[in-house]
Amino acid sequence: FKDGIYPTEKYISVAGSCVSDPAFYKIKKGMIISDILKDQIIDDQSMLISGDVWMDKKDSWELPLFCKN
């Protein structure tokens, strides 16, 4: 905020044995999770954790990232 610019981009990691190509992504806040992962082959038994594993929050693949329910 010191420059008067609101940051709209964020870096995320997609990792784990359930994805075909673990990677870091630079995304716009609010992107739909399934759009970010469209080029990944994802195991049917996988789950999405938004935040960290201690939050115990499972999200939908069709929600925007950083969306508060």
Side-chain angles (χ1 to χ4, degrees), residues 2 4 8-9 12-13 17 21 24 26 31-32 36-37 41-42 44-47 53-54 56-57 62-63 68:
K2 68 180 180 175
T8 60
E9 295 176 329
I12 64 165
S13 63
S17 60
D21 186 27
F24 290 96
K26 183 178 181 181
M31 285 185 71
I32 304 297
I36 298 166
L37 302 176
I41 299 170
I42 300 175
D44 291 339
Q45 299 300 314
S46 64
M47 81 170 94
V53 295
W54 303 114
D56 192 30
K57 182 175 186 289
E62 299 306 319
L63 285 177
K68 300 290 183 197

Side-chain angles (χ1 to χ4, degrees), residues 34-63:
S34 61
D35 290 343
I36 298 166
L37 302 176
K38 68 180 180 254
D39 295 330
Q40 293 279 352
I41 299 170
I42 300 175
D43 185 322
D44 291 339
Q45 299 300 314
S46 64
M47 81 170 94
L48 171 66
I49 299 174
S50 179
D52 61 47
V53 295
W54 303 114
M55 292 176 62
D56 192 30
K57 182 175 186 289
K58 296 178 187 174
D59 277 337
S60 165
W61 298 100
E62 299 306 319
L63 285 177

